[in-house]
Amino acid sequence: MLTIHPADPHRIAVALNVTIDWPAVAFVGIDDGEFAGSGGLAWGADKCWLWFQTSLQKPEYARPVLKMARLLLRKAVQLGESEVYTVKDAQFPSSAKLLKLVGFELSEIKDGQEVFIWHSSQ
């Protein structure tokens, strides 16, 4: 069963061999003791960004991912953000659909990547 836990962004960066050098809040998903993915909010380039990374892909993860995305958007609003950006994961065809279900819309294509934006209805 998938469970989601708060995590240290630096530890996630080290574990995944990526760079997280912006201020961030992060969470990890654990499924039966295995790392399933991570996500959170990061602030950089004068924007607030929502990010997700998956290591295990299962159809039953869609609902917890949507729930976590909504929770993170509420957190962004609590922290004063009225817009949140994310980049569509081109690796997964369902990425755009999931983003639209959460309320994101295509903002621009930058450097070949589709950037989506979410607007708060404060």
Side-chain angles (χ1 to χ4, degrees):
M1 180 171 123
L2 180 69
T3 58
I4 299 173
H5 310 274
D8 174 7
H10 176 72
R11 292 183 80 173
I12 292 172
V14 170
L16 298 176
N17 195 28
V18 297
T19 301
I20 299 177
D21 55 3
W22 292 344
V25 295
F27 294 83
V28 294
I30 306 293
D31 190 359
D32 290 328
E34 273 191 87
F35 178 81
S38 61
L41 296 170
W43 289 265
D46 296 322
K47 294 180 170 105
C48 177
W49 297 86
L50 175 78
W51 56 275
F52 273 103
Q53 170 282 327
T54 58
S55 297
L56 299 174
Q57 293 92 36
K58 294 182 180 179
E60 60 266 26
Y61 290 171
R63 183 165 290 177
V65 166
L66 289 172
K67 183 178 178 182
M68 194 67 206
R70 290 181 180 119
L71 182 134
L72 287 167
L73 292 170
R74 284 195 304 274
K75 174 64 111 181
V77 169
Q78 290 172 348
L79 294 171
E81 300 295 340
S82 59
E83 297 176 336
V84 177
Y85 294 82
T86 194
V87 176
K88 184 189 102 172
D89 190 336
Q91 179 182 351
F92 300 105
S94 62
S95 180
K97 181 180 178 182
L98 289 171
L99 290 173
K100 289 177 183 176
L101 284 171
V102 178
F104 280 89
E105 58 190 43
L106 182 62
S107 172
E108 65 179 317
I109 297 177
K110 186 170 183 163
D111 300 327
Q113 294 185 311
E114 293 179 41
V115 178
F116 281 69
I117 187 171
W118 174 86
H119 298 279
S120 167
S121 58
Q122 292 185 31

